[in-house]
């Protein structure tokens, strides 16, 4: 960067700009140089008066041609893109002038050498070799002593030089064509890359829109899932508790024995307390408060211990693999699934023991909840009015939102195992400790 800036400060120009200036000013300089040298050598080559006047007229014609071409060229597209009809006419007329001048004085080949430099962008591709061969004839005639050759020796020298110049021009023409093809391929590659980048940017914009849409849908699905969960909680706990309270109060209103009435009032009060506790638990479960200050493993350990104390069922909790900092949604999903599975165990399994295992398995994480209860036949449809109608469907819906799955294995009298499997998405702002194991 510094060298480029320094070069610009010293007035250096690029190779393309240098060639542009050569094509614009070079013909005048080479014509002037060849005219001066030819004028000094007129006597050496035996130019007659008529030949001298003819050469002078052709030099003036060459200057006029160059001035006319310079004016036309400024109105044409950028040099080197596409040969034009005007450029072809200019090249042919200049070639005739250079040939005649070299015929009159071989040192005018200094001017004729221009044909080697601009044939590529002035002539059509098929005519480039022919144009170069014409200039090979001009240069060979000049190098052999002038045109036409005089004597067998000069003709032999002319033929050898023509063979050499012609071969060189054809080789250089081939190399130039290959360079043009490589440049065209490079330009096509750059164009394709620009188009690919444009498509990629468009795809990224579309993906951003889809991502935002998916987030909105996920939030809506979460709201609907929480509504279903609350409906299940209300139906399975609060509504059933209220039904039991009403039944106890009806017995009290019809009972004449004070002891019997007091017993049913006590049962009604116990049911009311239990229903109140269930209502408070449902409200707390609207947000994963257990995860506010704990990792998923810590929250599950406390949840299992509290559930065991509340139900009297022996329960254990195990963590396998390397513990990872999980994304909030993944942790909340697995915690809710564990709570749902344990709630189903408490209500329906009549189990003596239960176990919860959290397994970190590289790119995914699994949660297994097992019990030794009465079990059920998974092939038998469960009624929608029961908790299984909400609980199992709710667990599957939660896992599917995280691109995961929930499978249930059970048999009558053989216990039940619920396994949830979701991708392991790490928390974006948490540090990863590979040596942290529980």
């Amino acid at each position: 960067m510094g060298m480029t800036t320094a070069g610009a400060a010293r007035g250096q120009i690029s190779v393309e700009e240098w060639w542009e200036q050569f094509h614009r000013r070079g013909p005048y300089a080479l014509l002037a140089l060849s005219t001066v040298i030819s004028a000094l050598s007129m006597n050496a080559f035996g130019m007659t008066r008529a030949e001298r006047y003819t050469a002078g007229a052709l030099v003036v014609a060459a200057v006029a041609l160059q001035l006319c071409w310079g004016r036309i060229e400024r109105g044409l597209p950028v040099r080197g893109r596409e040969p034009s009809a005007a450029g072809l006419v200019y090249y042919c007329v200049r070639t005739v002038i250079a040939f005649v001048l070299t015929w009159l004085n071989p040192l005018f080949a200094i001017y004729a050498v221009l044909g080697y430099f601009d044939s590529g962008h002035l002539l059509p591709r098929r005519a480039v070799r022919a144009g170069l061969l014409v200039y090979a004839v001009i240069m060979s005639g000049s190098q052999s002593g002038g045109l036409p050759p005089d004597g067998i020796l000069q003709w032999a020298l002319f033929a050898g030089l023509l063979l050499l110049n012609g071969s060189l021009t054809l080789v250089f023409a081939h190399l130039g064509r290959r360079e043009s093809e490589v440049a065209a391929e490079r330009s096509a590659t750059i164009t394709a890359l620009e188009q690919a980048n444009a498509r990629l940017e468009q795809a990224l914009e579309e993906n951003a829109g889809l991502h935002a849409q998916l987030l909105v849908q996920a939030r809506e699905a979460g709201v609907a899932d929480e509504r279903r969960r609350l409906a299940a909680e209300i139906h399975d706990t609060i509504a059933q508790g209220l039904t039991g309270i009403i039944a106890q109060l009806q017995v009290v209103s019809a009972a004449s024995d004070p002891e019997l009435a007091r017993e049913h009032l006590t049962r009604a009060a116990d049911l009311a307390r239990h229903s109140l506790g269930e209502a408070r638990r449902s409200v707390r479960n609207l947000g994963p408060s257990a995860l506010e200050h704990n990792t998923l493993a810590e929250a599950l350990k406390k949840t299992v211990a509290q559930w065991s104390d509340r139900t009297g069922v022996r329960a254990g909790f195990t963590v396998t693999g390397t513990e990872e900092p999980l994304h909030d949604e993944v942790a909340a999903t697995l915690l809710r699934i564990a709570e749902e599975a344990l709630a189903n165990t408490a209500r329906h399994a009549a189990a003596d023991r239960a176990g919860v295992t959290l397994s970190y398995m590289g790119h995914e994480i699994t949660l297994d909840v097992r019990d030794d209860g009465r079990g059920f036949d998974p092939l038998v449809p469960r009624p929608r009015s029961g908790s299984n109608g909400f609980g199992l469907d709710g667990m599957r819906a939660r896992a599917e939102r995280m691109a995961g799955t929930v499978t249930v294995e059970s048999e009558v009298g053989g216990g039940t195992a619920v396994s949830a499997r979701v991708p392991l998405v790490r928390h974006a702002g948490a540090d990863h400790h590979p040596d942290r194991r529980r």
Side-chain angles (χ1 to χ4, degrees), residues 4-54:
T4 303
T5 306
R10 293 194 299 267
Q12 294 181 358
I13 60 176
S14 65
V15 176
E16 291 78 7
E17 293 173 340
W18 188 92
W19 278 110
E20 189 69 26
Q21 293 182 9
F22 172 80
H23 287 300
R24 187 182 303 115
R25 302 173 184 174
Y28 297 106
L30 293 177
L31 180 61
L33 179 61
S34 61
T35 300
V36 172
I37 295 177
S38 298
L40 295 175
S41 62
M42 288 187 299
N43 295 329
F45 288 100
M47 292 180 66
T48 65
R49 183 182 297 274
E51 290 176 343
R52 295 177 184 180
Y53 286 141
T54 302

Side-chain angles (χ1 to χ4, degrees), residues 16-239:
E16 291 78 7
E17 293 173 340
W18 188 92
W19 278 110
E20 189 69 26
Q21 293 182 9
F22 172 80
H23 287 300
R24 187 182 303 115
R25 302 173 184 174
Y28 297 106
L30 293 177
L31 180 61
L33 179 61
S34 61
T35 300
V36 172
I37 295 177
S38 298
L40 295 175
S41 62
M42 288 187 299
N43 295 329
F45 288 100
M47 292 180 66
T48 65
R49 183 182 297 274
E51 290 176 343
R52 295 177 184 180
Y53 286 141
T54 302
L58 289 175
V59 169
V60 174
V63 173
L65 174 67
Q66 198 63 38
L67 291 173
C68 181
W69 168 244
R71 182 174 299 178
I72 294 174
E73 189 181 27
R74 284 192 292 269
L76 294 176
V78 178
R79 177 185 297 277
R81 290 184 179 175
E82 291 291 340
S84 62
L88 177 61
V89 172
Y90 162 70
Y91 188 89
C92 292
V93 174
R94 193 187 68 189
T95 300
V96 172
I97 294 175
F99 180 81
V100 176
L101 285 174
T102 306
W103 185 285
L104 297 175
N105 189 321
L107 296 180
F108 273 109
I110 298 174
Y111 170 68
V113 78
L114 284 171
Y116 284 143
F117 295 103
D118 54 10
S119 60
H121 69 267
L122 289 177
L123 297 179
R125 183 174 178 178
R126 296 179 178 179
V128 171
R129 290 186 178 180
L132 291 175
L133 287 176
V134 170
Y135 275 91
V137 172
I138 297 174
M139 300 306 294
S140 298
S142 172
Q143 294 165 0
S144 62
L147 294 173
D150 185 12
I152 297 177
L153 180 60
Q154 192 174 358
W155 271 106
L157 180 60
F158 172 76
L161 290 171
L162 179 60
L163 178 62
L164 176 62
N165 285 312
S167 300
L168 291 176
T169 55
L170 293 179
V171 169
F172 288 135
H174 175 72
L175 294 177
R177 184 172 64 255
R178 288 295 303 160
E179 184 177 356
S180 299
E181 292 175 354
V182 170
E185 292 176 358
R186 186 182 299 113
S187 177
T189 301
I190 293 174
T191 301
L193 288 175
E194 291 176 349
Q195 294 175 352
N197 287 335
R199 291 193 297 268
L200 179 59
E201 291 178 358
Q202 182 180 1
L204 289 175
E205 293 177 358
E206 294 176 354
N207 287 341
L210 291 174
H211 180 67
Q213 183 178 356
L214 288 174
L215 287 178
V216 172
Q217 293 176 351
R219 293 191 186 98
E220 294 176 350
V223 171
D225 184 66
E226 288 300 319
R227 288 175 177 172
R228 288 193 298 269
R229 188 188 65 80
L230 285 175
E233 292 285 347
I234 293 172
H235 179 274
D236 295 336
T237 58
I238 302 175

Side-chain angles (χ1 to χ4, degrees), residues 278-296:
E278 291 294 328
R280 288 173 175 172
R281 187 180 65 83
S282 298
V283 171
R284 286 197 304 270
N285 286 343
L286 286 174
S289 58
L291 294 172
E292 290 182 0
H293 305 290
N294 299 303
T295 65
L296 175 61

Side-chain angles (χ1 to χ4, degrees), residues 250-437:
Q250 288 176 344
V251 173
V252 171
S253 63
S256 57
D257 185 358
E259 287 295 329
L260 180 61
R262 187 179 301 108
E263 179 182 351
H264 286 283
L265 284 174
T266 301
R267 291 179 182 176
D270 291 340
L271 286 172
R273 294 187 187 95
H274 178 73
S275 298
L276 179 60
E278 291 294 328
R280 288 173 175 172
R281 187 180 65 83
S282 298
V283 171
R284 286 197 304 270
N285 286 343
L286 286 174
S289 58
L291 294 172
E292 290 182 0
H293 305 290
N294 299 303
T295 65
L296 175 61
E298 294 168 346
L300 283 173
K301 183 177 181 180
K302 293 180 180 179
T303 298
V304 172
Q306 293 171 358
W307 178 86
S308 179
D309 292 341
R310 185 173 62 252
T311 60
V313 179
R314 287 184 299 169
F317 173 69
T318 306
V319 178
T320 64
T322 302
E323 186 175 349
E324 302 275 3
L326 298 176
H327 191 279
D328 294 343
E329 290 296 328
V330 175
T333 297
L334 293 175
L335 180 60
R336 292 291 184 253
I337 291 175
E339 291 173 344
E340 293 281 357
L342 290 173
N344 284 343
T345 299
R347 294 181 189 125
H348 308 289
D352 295 324
R353 297 184 62 182
V356 177
T357 302
L358 182 66
S359 302
Y360 294 87
M361 304 171 65
H363 297 293
E364 64 182 9
I365 183 169
T366 61
L367 173 72
D368 297 299
V369 181
R370 306 169 307 281
D371 66 65
D372 61 355
R374 62 168 60 99
F376 63 95
D377 186 354
L379 299 178
V380 176
R382 309 298 295 177
R384 296 291 300 181
S385 59
S387 63
N388 280 312
F390 290 100
L392 293 178
D393 292 340
M395 285 187 280
R396 291 192 177 99
R398 288 179 186 275
E400 289 172 358
R401 289 207 309 273
M402 296 291 106
T405 59
V406 170
T407 58
V408 179
E409 297 180 0
S410 183
E411 61 179 348
V412 178
T416 302
V418 177
S419 179
R421 184 184 300 265
V422 297
L424 196 156
V425 182
R426 295 177 177 85
H427 196 288
D431 294 332
H432 175 48
H433 301 284
D435 60 340
R436 182 182 178 186
R437 296 179 180 270

